[in-house]
């Protein structure tokens, strides 16, 4: 029996876009959440952010967009092939989700973090051995100072090896094995 590849668009969106308990488990296992920062519950948000002026501005579409009970937003993308424009699209989508949180009259302190998880079925950093890349906005000279609000995680699935996956725990390894191996089962 051959299974549908969960990396393909429709199965990916069916698994993670329609089953909040699976998505919650996946995000908690894969993301570098701070201690005490596990996702307790989440709600799905529209995957498309339509601009106020559609004739002037560009739409923003992700595979899955959700919000945790504490207000953090998560964008989840599955990308089969790396392209240079993908990185710009990731920045655009996360930035748009971040700024669209405020309504006129809201204070900036109401903004909640947006974390973008990007799964790549391709290699984009050929010169680096690692498969798990976590980005934050940091001060160049003193990298200990971080501007909170936007984080980006890129997972290069072809480089993933379950026996060398210190970045994620056992549950994360199982999820990544599911994504990388289930399509190969006969």
């Amino acid at each position: 029996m051959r299974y549908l590849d969960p990396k393909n668009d429709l199965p990916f969106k069916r698994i993670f876009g329609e089953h909040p308990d699976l998505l919650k488990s996946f995000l908690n296992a894969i993301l570098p959440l701070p201690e005490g920062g596990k996702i307790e519950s989440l709600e799905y948000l529209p995957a498309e952010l339509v601009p106020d002026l559609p004739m002037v501005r560009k739409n923003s579409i992700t595979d899955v967009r959700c919000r945790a009970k504490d207000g953090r937003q998560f964008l989840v993308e599955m990308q089969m092939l790396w392209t240079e424009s993908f990185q710009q699209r990731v920045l655009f989508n996360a930035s748009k989700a971040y700024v669209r949180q405020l309504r006129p009259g809201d204070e900036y302190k109401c903004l909640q973090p947006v974390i973008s998880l990007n799964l790549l079925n391709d290699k984009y950093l050929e010169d680096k051995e690692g498969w798990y890349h976590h980005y934050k906005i940091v001060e160049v000279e003193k990298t200990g100072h971080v501007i909170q609000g936007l984080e980006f995680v890129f997972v290069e699935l072809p480089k993933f090896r379950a026996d060398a996956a210190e970045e994620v725990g056992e549950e994360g390894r199982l999820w990544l094995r599911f994504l990388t191996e289930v399509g190969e089962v006969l």
Side-chain angles (χ1 to χ4, degrees):
M1 173 182 237
R2 185 144 176 94
Y3 295 95
L4 292 175
D5 187 344
K7 295 182 298 293
N8 287 333
D9 197 50
L10 184 60
F12 187 85
K13 288 178 181 178
R14 292 290 305 263
I15 294 165
F16 296 111
E18 297 179 13
H19 301 279
D21 288 338
L22 293 178
L23 179 61
K24 181 178 79 168
S25 170
F26 181 66
L27 293 174
N28 280 330
I30 302 299
L31 292 174
L33 299 172
E35 191 167 323
K38 293 288 184 190
I39 301 165
E40 300 297 325
S41 65
L42 54 81
E43 66 175 308
Y44 287 106
L45 298 171
E48 183 175 9
L49 286 169
V50 179
D52 296 330
L53 303 170
M55 301 298 276
V56 180
R57 307 269 190 246
K58 191 165 181 65
N59 279 14
S60 174
I61 302 171
T62 60
D63 289 333
V64 178
R65 181 172 158 246
C66 63
R67 180 175 38 229
K69 186 178 179 179
D70 62 7
R72 291 176 295 172
Q73 280 192 48
F74 300 92
L75 308 179
V76 184
E77 280 285 325
M78 179 66 234
Q79 182 75 12
M80 294 303 281
L81 298 171
W82 171 257
T83 64
E84 288 300 319
S85 64
F86 178 66
Q87 187 171 343
Q88 280 70 44
R89 187 162 50 95
V90 166
L91 288 166
F92 179 78
N93 291 343
S95 299
K96 195 166 195 176
Y98 187 72
V99 300
R100 293 287 294 264
Q101 294 178 59
L102 294 184
R103 305 238 185 271
D106 288 349
E107 295 185 26
Y108 292 110
K109 66 181 180 181
C110 297
L111 288 168
Q112 296 297 317
V114 173
I115 301 167
S116 177
L117 173 59
N118 305 281
L119 305 157
L120 305 167
N121 195 41
D122 201 2
K123 296 177 184 177
Y124 88 102
L125 292 175
E126 291 287 342
D127 59 334
K128 283 192 157 187
E129 289 184 27
W131 57 274
Y132 190 94
H133 312 283
H134 180 205
Y135 297 92
K136 293 181 179 185
I137 301 173
V138 298
E139 203 258 328
V140 174
E141 291 183 20
K142 301 172 187 158
T143 58
H145 183 255
V146 177
I147 295 175
Q148 301 297 325
L150 293 173
E151 291 185 43
F152 306 90
V153 174
F154 292 86
V155 176
E156 295 176 90
L157 294 173
K159 292 183 181 178
F160 168 74
R161 300 290 173 261
D163 59 346
E166 299 84 31
E167 294 84 354
V168 294
E170 183 60 29
E171 189 174 353
R173 280 191 283 279
L174 292 173
W175 272 115
L176 292 172
R177 286 189 64 204
F178 166 71
L179 287 173
T180 58
E181 297 174 13
V182 79
E184 300 170 1
V185 176
L186 293 177

